[in-house]
Amino acid sequence: MKTFSPTEFAIRYGFLLLMAGLIVVFSVLKPAFMSPQSAVFILQSVAITGILALGVTATLVVDGFDLSIGAVATSSLMLSAYVMVIWEMGAVAAVVLCLVMGAVVGLINGLLIVKMKVPDLLATLGMMFLLVGLQRIPTEGNSISTGMVLSDGTNATGSFSEGFLMLGRHRIDFILPDLVPLSVVFLVLIAVLVWGFLELTRHGRVMYAIGSNAQAARLAGINVAGYRVLAYMISGVLASVGGILLSARLGRGDVASGNNLLLDAVAAALIGFAVLGAAKPNAFGTAIGALFVGILLQGLTMLNAPYYTQDFIKGAVLVVALVFTFALSGRAGRGRG
Amino acid sequence: MTRQAITIRGLTKAFGRNAVLRGVDLDLPAGQVTVLMGANGAGKSTLVKVLCGVHRADAGQVLLDDKPFAPEGPAQALRSGVVTVHQNINDGVVPGLDVASNLLLDSLAEGGSLFLNVRRMREDARRIAAAVGLEVDVTRPVAGLPLADRQLVAIARAMAHKPRLLILDEPTSSLSMAEAQRLFTLIDRLRAEGVAILYISHRMSDIRRLADRIISMRDGQVSGIFDSAPLDYSGAVRVMLGHEITEVDITIPPPGPVMLQATGLQLKPEARPFDLSLRANEVVAITGLVGSGKSALASVLFGLEAPVAGSLTLNGTPYLPANPAQAVAAGVFLAAKDRLINAVIPAFDIQSNLSLPFTKNHSGPLGLIRRTTERAAATRSIEAMGVVCQGPRDGILTLSGGNQQKVVVGRWMSQASRLLILDEPFQGVDIQARRDIGRRIRDSATNRATLVLCAEIDEALEVADRILVMSEHTMVGDHRNEAIDLGRLMAQVAGSVEDRMDIPA
């Protein structure tokens, strides 16, 4: 048997232990923290960023990066509102158009990177700017809601369909009546699917190979460009799902929402590197990373920490997680190499 | 007696336990071109890096014009008059700046006045450029220049330092013939000016054109000095490659039907077309110096590059892969050289590295990987190749070089193929691993054609039924591996046999 190494143990379980410790501390200080309602609140608060983070994880796996996810999500928010309020179409059309939009943006990102050889950060940064601007053009910079004044002087008569709003607001019975919001169900479902795809299928395996040594993957007969594009499409589609859920929660096309989505999602995915000493992007770690941030913020809020300290705390957690991943793992000889 | 620009005595350098230079004694006379030859790993690059200040020697002495020379870094080596033009031309120029700034880069870096006097800079630059016969607009950015001009910029920049020793590392590898001629003219002039030139190359045409002396290196030592006219080119190659022939019993099996047929294959515009046929059951080795076209041939067969001309058939049907995926699907596998760059997935364990090209064969519905069959296949490969490890889940980087190589070779033997190409399969492995891999290649060769590319002749002799020789991107020799005429084979490797034979089927 291998001898016990404290460094190895810290790398593997340090982050999970830290999370368990946080839960214990918060529960002791505020017994209400351990209630099912509190748990559900945490999950709901991280549902959308978690879904976006799982998409970023797919691009990180092929050694890429998608900075456009936040903009895709807010575009999806505006598009769904526009489809229902201005075009007066139903929930299904809104959802389908948003998903298609996400897939197309992912496809364009992928082609920019693979065919036009634009570096991933720059391509998706450009796409981010483009979308942030584009989503405001149809409404001349205004938010979208029922009754808004259109450019021809009339009022918009369409409204968010009940079915669509359910996606963001409906709660299903689980232990307690009306406990679990649908968005949390989506998060769990998507997390399991992305995890299964990356860890259990040959496609996920091949994507990890590309991320580790793209040249060797190509010489093994793998369609590297195709899988890269696929990763950005996964990221785009998941970001649009996040936008749909945000739209359904808000019930209006709010131009000011979703500012923090990109940074929160990226932070969750990067924190995920440190979970179980993976030292690589992974779906389980990403989910835990999102949860970790949610737990920390909920606990601090219950302890009356002011809201403006939140970003600072998230940043501090991210830095600590990155030290776990790169410094400690590197010393133990299991860096990303 | 010629004056020595550089005198090297007892130079040693080791990286960890790996002794790369083991007591090099070398003189480089002023006003002469000394060609340095050596196979991969012979220590050429390390020697160059010691001379140009990148590495410091562990022991030994270097004298530059009879004064001790131990540069602290590349900048100091340059100032002392040791100028190096690296194989990768972009190491020597700043592509984003214009020609004038590049030519004056060293004086710019040293400081001076705060503002640049643009007009004076351009005049200085034109003077420097004219000195090496570089005729370009000095205001053009270097990135827009052809490769040869970029190289001249690098050399011209170096010339400003009044060099005593100019080191050129494979300078013609990416030049056209006309561009190479211009470089040779410049070298002639520098030689006449009394500069000592150390020229590293395997191109026999370059070497014949330029060499006053040839030094061969092998295993970190000088293995031969040839300086009496006429130069013995074949002798230099022989000394460089070594020729301790290892006793290996090769029983040549009866060849099967033709598996791969290449007709009129042309790998470079100026190269002579050739035919090639590879039969089932036979192991064919192609040998030749670095840059002789072995890897270019592999690239064509594996769909990485299109040939200039020629047609291929595989198992009787036309075969022209557009990418590696199509080649693999057609049953043509390539175990690439330089495993850490081209083959190993560092993040993966042995099992996943082995199954990488064949995940389809190990997965069920929805592409879910069947870990049990994957593991069983991995265990079989590990046993067949004799990989020394704890188990199939060991990380690939925990293995020694030889065992890593067994994994990347074993990867392509785990499934049946029509044509298996192994590019330098014995690269960087110890003698035991080399024997294991060679035996495994021969034992599994039935029903497929096997092509082994290796620069070292003894490796070819150990593994092949038939040995082909490449030179200048074409086939120049074909030997059945029985009572082989080694002298003739060596001469063909050195490119000095002029009988342009066609390769019989």
Side-chain angles (χ1 to χ4, degrees):
Chain A
M1 271 322 281
K2 273 189 215 165
T3 49
F4 176 81
S5 140
T7 324
E8 188 77 6
F9 185 79
I11 290 167
R12 259 187 103 67
Y13 302 110
F15 223 79
L16 291 177
L17 285 178
L18 197 59
M19 192 159 94
L22 271 181
I23 293 174
V24 170
V25 169
F26 286 139
S27 309
V28 168
L29 294 175
K30 287 275 171 185
F33 185 82
M34 272 307 268
S35 66
Q37 288 88 346
S38 164
V40 166
F41 186 85
I42 290 170
L43 283 171
Q44 189 178 13
S45 72
V46 300
I48 291 170
T49 51
I51 290 170
L52 263 65
L54 288 162
V56 174
T57 305
T59 61
L60 289 170
V61 166
V62 295
D63 197 22
F65 208 146
D66 190 350
L67 286 177
S68 70
I69 47 165
V72 172
T74 52
S75 298
S76 165
L77 160 75
M78 296 302 284
L79 177 64
S80 61
Y82 201 86
V83 168
M84 287 182 290
V85 174
I86 314 252
W87 289 348
E88 303 184 16
M89 292 162 82
V92 174
V95 169
V96 169
L97 283 172
C98 286
L99 295 180
V100 169
M101 187 272 301
V104 169
V105 171
L107 178 67
I108 295 172
N109 276 334
L111 292 179
L112 282 175
I113 291 160
V114 167
K115 295 280 175 213
M116 308 290 168
K117 312 284 179 206
V118 183
D120 45 19
L121 284 173
L122 304 186
T124 56
L125 181 74
M127 186 55 72
M128 176 184 96
F129 273 114
L130 188 149
L131 290 175
V132 165
L134 181 65
Q135 71 197 27
R136 292 172 181 220
I137 291 176
T139 59
E140 296 165 347
N142 296 311
S143 295
I144 302 171
S145 56
T146 307
M148 70 181 286
V149 181
L150 299 178
S151 52
D152 59 5
T154 59
N155 286 18
T157 54
S159 65
F160 276 65
S161 82
E162 281 306 313
F164 188 85
L165 291 173
M166 259 182 74
L167 294 175
R169 297 172 177 178
H170 183 71
R171 287 164 174 265
I172 53 177
D173 303 344
F174 181 76
I175 305 176
L176 299 175
D178 282 347
L179 181 67
V180 182
L182 267 184
S183 55
V184 172
V185 176
F186 283 122
L187 171 67
V188 173
L189 205 66
I190 288 171
V192 170
L193 280 176
V194 172
W195 177 81
F197 178 78
L198 290 177
E199 301 292 330
L200 303 182
T201 73
R202 68 187 195 89
H203 306 290
R205 170 75 67 78
V206 163
M207 284 168 67
Y208 273 115
I210 292 169
S212 180
N213 186 346
Q215 166 78 349
R218 191 170 76 102
L219 290 174
I222 287 163
N223 180 355
V224 172
Y227 276 104
R228 283 225 161 101
V229 173
L230 175 69
Y232 286 95
M233 290 182 70
I234 292 172
S235 174
V237 168
L238 291 186
S240 72
V241 171
I244 291 168
L245 295 178
L246 185 61
S247 169
R249 187 184 296 170
L250 296 172
R252 61 195 292 266
D254 187 349
V255 287
S257 315
N259 287 336
N260 259 340
L261 285 177
L262 168 67
L263 292 181
D264 287 3
V266 168
L270 294 180
I271 290 170
F273 282 29
V275 177
L276 288 181
K280 63 179 186 183
N282 66 102
F284 179 72
T286 300
I288 296 291
L291 207 56
F292 187 93
V293 173
I295 288 170
L296 192 60
L297 294 185
Q298 165 73 350
L300 290 171
T301 309
M302 288 175 86
L303 294 175
N304 296 325
Y307 73 93
Y308 50 79
T309 56
Q310 291 196 354
D311 279 344
F312 167 75
I313 290 159
K314 278 187 264 185
V317 171
L318 178 56
V319 170
V320 169
L322 292 176
V323 169
F324 258 95
T325 304
F326 293 100
L328 295 183
S329 308
R331 210 175 301 156
R334 356 180 333 150
R336 281 214 293 169
Chain B
M1 181 78 204
T2 358
R3 204 164 48 81
Q4 305 296 338
I6 288 259
T7 313
I8 300 170
R9 286 291 172 269
L11 199 68
T12 64
K13 175 78 190 169
F15 295 101
R17 284 182 315 180
N18 183 14
V20 182
L21 297 180
R22 303 188 301 175
V24 174
D25 296 331
L26 185 62
D27 296 322
L28 299 175
Q32 289 196 19
V33 175
T34 304
V35 167
L36 180 62
M37 298 179 78
N40 283 331
K44 284 172 307 184
S45 346
T46 309
L47 178 62
V48 169
K49 283 180 180 157
V50 169
L51 289 178
C52 71
V54 175
H55 293 323
R56 302 205 65 173
D58 296 336
Q61 195 183 29
V62 182
L63 297 177
L64 175 65
D65 290 329
D66 303 325
K67 288 189 284 289
F69 171 69
E72 296 283 339
Q76 204 195 336
L78 197 62
R79 250 174 278 133
S80 317
V82 174
V83 169
T84 310
V85 178
H86 293 278
Q87 191 171 7
N88 183 353
I89 290 165
N90 283 336
D91 286 354
V93 294
V94 184
L97 293 179
D98 62 13
V99 174
S101 306
N102 264 289
L103 291 174
L104 300 168
L105 198 59
D106 301 300
S107 55
L108 289 179
E110 273 160 21
S113 61
L114 179 58
F115 295 102
L116 302 175
N117 181 340
V118 175
R119 185 147 27 97
R120 218 185 68 207
M121 264 181 68
R122 289 196 182 142
E123 276 165 21
D124 287 352
R126 275 189 206 105
R127 198 168 31 74
I128 296 171
V132 298
L134 173 67
E135 289 162 3
V136 292
D137 176 3
V138 295
T139 61
R140 275 179 66 183
V142 164
L145 298 182
L147 223 42
D149 283 343
R150 269 191 245 180
Q151 197 173 40
L152 284 182
V153 169
I155 296 175
R157 183 184 145 201
M159 287 301 111
H161 295 272
K162 302 191 180 53
R164 298 296 304 131
L165 169 66
L166 174 65
I167 303 172
L168 295 148
D169 190 356
E170 301 266 2
T172 57
S173 55
S174 38
L175 300 187
S176 74
M177 269 176 199
E179 291 168 336
Q181 286 311 322
R182 194 167 54 159
L183 179 67
F184 295 158
T185 316
L186 175 62
I187 291 174
D188 285 340
R189 204 164 72 228
L190 293 172
R191 164 162 52 191
E193 285 170 14
V195 177
I197 293 165
L198 182 63
Y199 191 93
I200 298 168
S201 179
H202 290 108
R203 275 201 181 177
M204 291 314 291
S205 50
D206 291 12
I207 295 172
R208 284 210 192 83
R209 165 74 176 73
L210 291 171
D212 297 309
R213 318 160 61 228
I214 302 179
I215 308 281
S216 290
M217 269 184 90
R218 184 174 171 80
D219 296 335
Q221 283 175 320
V222 170
S223 58
I225 300 177
F226 300 83
D227 52 4
S228 51
L231 290 173
D232 177 7
Y233 300 109
S234 317
V237 171
R238 197 172 306 135
V239 172
M240 156 186 146
L241 295 177
H243 51 288
E244 333 84 68
I245 298 311
T246 32
E247 286 304 322
V248 179
D249 236 356
I250 298 270
T251 329
I252 301 179
V258 172
M259 201 51 108
L260 181 106
Q261 176 69 48
T263 313
L265 194 63
Q266 199 178 7
L267 297 176
K268 264 194 162 184
E270 65 266 22
R272 189 172 57 89
F274 61 92
D275 294 350
L276 170 69
S277 71
L278 304 172
R279 293 167 172 278
N281 306 344
E282 83 174 333
V283 178
V284 178
I286 298 186
T287 188
L289 300 173
V290 174
S292 60
K294 302 187 303 289
S295 291
L297 175 63
S299 295
V300 166
L301 295 178
F302 197 56
L304 289 164
E305 273 167 43
V308 174
S311 64
L312 300 170
T313 61
L314 181 70
N315 210 13
T317 52
Y319 168 69
L320 188 68
N323 54 49
Q326 287 180 14
V328 172
V332 175
F333 297 170
L334 167 70
K337 63 176 173 185
D338 299 327
R339 63 175 171 270
L340 287 176
I341 300 167
N342 294 320
V344 165
I345 304 291
F348 280 10
D349 54 19
I350 297 173
Q351 177 175 331
S352 310
N353 263 292
L354 281 168
S355 66
L356 184 67
F358 310 110
T359 50
K360 223 178 229 159
N361 306 29
H362 297 297
S363 55
L366 296 174
L368 290 171
I369 290 180
R370 293 205 206 92
R371 302 218 172 216
T372 41
T373 66
E374 189 190 20
R375 195 187 171 93
T379 312
R380 276 199 304 279
S381 291
I382 287 171
E383 216 159 283
M385 297 300 303
V387 179
V388 180
C389 62
Q390 313 271 329
R393 304 304 304 270
D394 284 5
I396 184 85
L397 294 187
T398 64
L399 302 182
S400 70
N403 283 304
Q404 286 179 19
Q405 188 69 25
K406 286 178 183 175
V407 170
V408 302
V409 169
R411 170 191 286 174
W412 295 105
M413 291 194 184
S414 65
Q415 302 280 331
S417 55
R418 291 204 165 100
L419 168 62
L420 176 64
I421 309 161
L422 301 130
D423 193 356
E424 299 290 351
F426 310 111
Q427 196 176 34
V429 306
D430 58 83
I431 189 78
Q432 186 55 46
R434 173 168 147 186
R435 290 272 153 77
D436 290 350
I437 293 170
R439 192 178 313 121
R440 181 71 191 133
I441 291 172
R442 290 197 61 80
D443 288 351
S444 64
T446 322
N447 294 330
R448 66 153 195 253
T450 309
L451 189 61
V452 182
L453 313 180
C454 45
E456 298 263 351
I457 290 169
D458 19 339
E459 293 176 0
L461 289 167
E462 272 179 34
V463 76
D465 303 325
R466 188 152 73 93
I467 299 176
L468 306 179
V469 183
M470 282 189 89
S471 175
E472 316 261 324
H473 284 76
T474 193
M475 290 290 167
V476 294
D478 184 348
H479 306 258
R480 197 174 151 83
N481 193 4
E482 278 176 341
I484 234 169
D485 178 356
L486 273 179
R488 187 175 151 78
L489 191 144
M490 294 276 190
Q492 287 167 340
V493 168
S496 49
V497 171
E498 292 303 324
D499 57 345
R500 291 266 152 114
M501 53 186 303
D502 284 316
I503 309 305

